[in-house]
Amino acid sequence: MGDDTQTSHDPSAQDAKSDGPPLGAGGPDAGDQIECSSIPNGDSGSAATTRLYKKRWAIVFLFSSYSLSNAYQWIQYGIISNIMMKFYNVDAMAVDWLSMVYMLTYIPFIFPVTWLLDKKGLRVTALLASALNCAGTWIKVASAQPDLFLVTVLGQFASSLAQVFILGMPSRLASVWFGADEVSTACSIGVFGNQMGIAIGFLIPPILVPNVDDMNELAYHIRIMFYISAGVASVIFILVIIVFQERPEIPPSQAQAQARNIPPDEYSYTASIMRLLRNKPFMLLVLSYGLNVGCFYAVSTLLNRMIIEHYPGEEVNAGRIGLTIVVAGMVGSLICGIWLDKTKTYKQTTLVVYLLSLIGMLVYAFTLNLGHLWVVFITAGGLGFFMTGYLPLGFEFAVELTYPESEGTSSGLLNCSAQIFGIIFTISQGKIIDKWGTLAGNIFLSIFLLIGTVITGFIKSDLRRQKANLKAEVQTVSKVTADLEGDVSPNEILRDRKL
């Protein structure tokens, strides 16, 4: 791959590189290899080769792209809810359900989808996700008429079904393709795409669809918005068909090498679910994660209503405030992912970010009605930095607590909790805002963030994946030390490690 190819300087790694198994026709090109080393395989003492491929970056960015397209569709109605109410002649709750259908669809479909992810793998899941996402966008193109609200609901349902195949993939994709010191960063990039989609969903619809009274003109603008999203989704679907690959030929980490050695007939999806449900630290994380992300879903869905109540006619700025929330969160996600890869302080980082999310929510709640939009931009950005920055933390902490269970299954349970709380909080906060105003609605969410912070403090930090990788390193050092003390020559040591 040119001069930027990096290869391990470990002599045993060089041996592994030269004699490693050939890659299949569907595998990454040998030129994509950038690092390889030998690691002990479980307790057997034998060496298993690990290798990183440059193609892993193309895979994670392609995933982020179709996740972006899908997340954009989630919020594209809600951020212009007042315009959609007028165009389709429906009430606020009907438009809110165009966002909440994403949450509702997830709950019954998550278990069959995670089973499919475990049985069929990443490529089949990616193809189904991008196909459903593309289909949803084209159905919505046909719904740009005031009497076709049910058609737009059908299109949104197809897109919401695609989301079920997307939300549980970042941690699984990171584990399958990335090394032990990269998984948190890779997971953050996967979540980054989803957040970027929400950001674009906040920004673009208010610009493309102005609040005009002429229904024909409004239909034209809405149709343009739908055509753009359909074109982007179609290009991404084609790229997924061509580029997206199931997994690298050689595993990227010790933990992944061990996971591959588990015979398929020894894995039971039902038994895995039951083990997760009996895992107390993980179940506490499921609850606290659901509370935090459910609050984020409620704030995002109802943002237009909250801003318009205090700043009438500011639909475009409502979208910009939503953009500020998510962009700040993307920065927070990347920083948290890099921090976790460097420090492995999962429990401490999760607790601090959760507490700061609570503080950010309280500040936002008490400054929203001051009459200064620039203040709202600042406080919303602070809220987003920590609240959406928490998303990859929850995913990666869950993988650590549940290793070697499937990452898709643990992520699925986290997201299921988030969808349930998202529906409850969105409906409840909407009712509270209608009756008592935005301050009461935001304090309502703050109470549950406080509860989530306390729950996070009780989670026991049992980092199982880190223990597996550390055990591998200890075995390697012990074997080399024993061979040296036994007067074995360095060449024999290298030959043993290679084998």
Side-chain angles (χ1 to χ4, degrees), residues 368-391:
L368 182 60
N369 60 353
L370 293 182
H372 301 290
L373 268 175
W374 65 269
V375 174
V376 180
F377 273 95
I378 294 173
T379 58
L383 173 65
F385 183 87
F386 297 110
M387 183 172 280
T388 57
Y390 172 82
L391 296 177

Side-chain angles (χ1 to χ4, degrees), residues 19 33 41 59 117-118 134 136 147 166 187 235 250 274 313 320 346 350 399 402 406 409 411 433 435 444 452 478:
D19 294 343
Q33 165 197 325
N41 185 9
I59 296 294
L117 177 61
D118 288 340
C134 184
D147 59 342
I166 293 172
C187 184
V235 171
I250 299 173
M274 295 308 298
R320 291 169 180 166
Y346 291 85
T350 302
V399 174
T402 60
S406 166
T409 306
S411 298
I433 289 173
K435 190 169 183 178
F444 166 78
S478 298

Side-chain angles (χ1 to χ4, degrees), residues 131-143:
L132 285 166
N133 184 62
C134 184
T137 61
W138 284 107
I139 292 172
K140 282 187 274 190
V141 166
S143 73

